[in-house]
Amino acid sequence: MKKIILLVLSAVLGSSVLAGCSGSSGSFEAKSYTSDTQIKEINLDVQDREIEVSLSEDDQVHIHYYESGEEYYDISVSDENVLTMTSASDKDWTDYVGVKASADDRKISLQIPEGFLENLTLSTTNEDITLSPLAVTGSINLSSNGGNIDFENLDAGSGLTLDAKNGDISGTIAGSYDDFSIQTEMKKGESSLPEQKEGGEKSLNVSCNNGDISIDFQN
C-alpha cells in the first residue's frame, strides 16, 4: 500500500513539474524598427529565427519582428553607422521545455535599400535565410546552422561567404563565373561548384556540411 501511495505522489509531483515547464514563453507582440540615419553595414546574429530579406521602398532600413518578455532583441547603431541586431533572453531553464513560439513569431523581415549598403552579415540557427534580388557595394556573409540558404540574383561588390550546416545552399549570383575566385568545402553533399578556382576580382567562399550546393551565375 505504501508503495502505491509513493507511486501516486511521484506521478502527481512529476506532472506538476512538467506542467510548469511546458508553458509557452509568453505572448509575442509585433514590433518594427526603422533607421533614422543612413546605415552602412548590417549584422544580424540571432538564434532559432527565420530571416527574410527584401528591398526597401525608401532609402531606409526596416526590420519587422516579434518579441515577448522572455525572448527579445538588442538593436543598436554604432557611430560608424553599423546596425547590429542580436538575440536576447530572460528565460529560466524551465522555459526551454515545452512548445516553442509559432513560425510567424520566429520570423524576422529585413528590408534594405538598393545599393546603399556596404556589408551585410546574417547568422541564425535552426531556420532558413532567404534573400530576394539585392546588391551591396562590399561583402555578403550568410550563415545558417540547421537551415537552408536561398537567394536570387545576389550582387556583392567584393565577395560572398556562404555557410550552411544540415541545410542546402541554393540560388543565383549576379555576374559571370569568371568574375569570382572560388573556394568550396563540402561534407556529405553534392555541389555545382569546383573545390577551387583561381582568378576573378571577387571572392566566393562556400561551406556546406550535410547538405547540397546549387549555385548558378547570371550575367
Side-chain angles (χ1 to χ4, degrees), residues 71-115:
E71 297 182 64
Y72 52 95
Y73 304 97
D74 289 331
I75 301 176
S76 62
V77 179
S78 71
D79 293 338
E80 292 75 27
N81 293 334
V82 177
L83 171 62
T84 301
M85 181 178 186
T86 57
S87 293
S89 175
D90 283 336
K91 281 186 172 184
D92 294 324
W93 70 268
T94 54
D95 294 323
Y96 288 94
V97 181
V99 180
K100 62 182 179 180
S102 69
D104 287 339
D105 294 337
R106 289 182 285 111
K107 177 180 288 188
I108 298 174
S109 297
L110 171 65
Q111 299 174 358
I112 64 174
E114 175 72 23

Side-chain angles (χ1 to χ4, degrees), residues 82 181 210:
V82 177
S181 62
N210 197 25

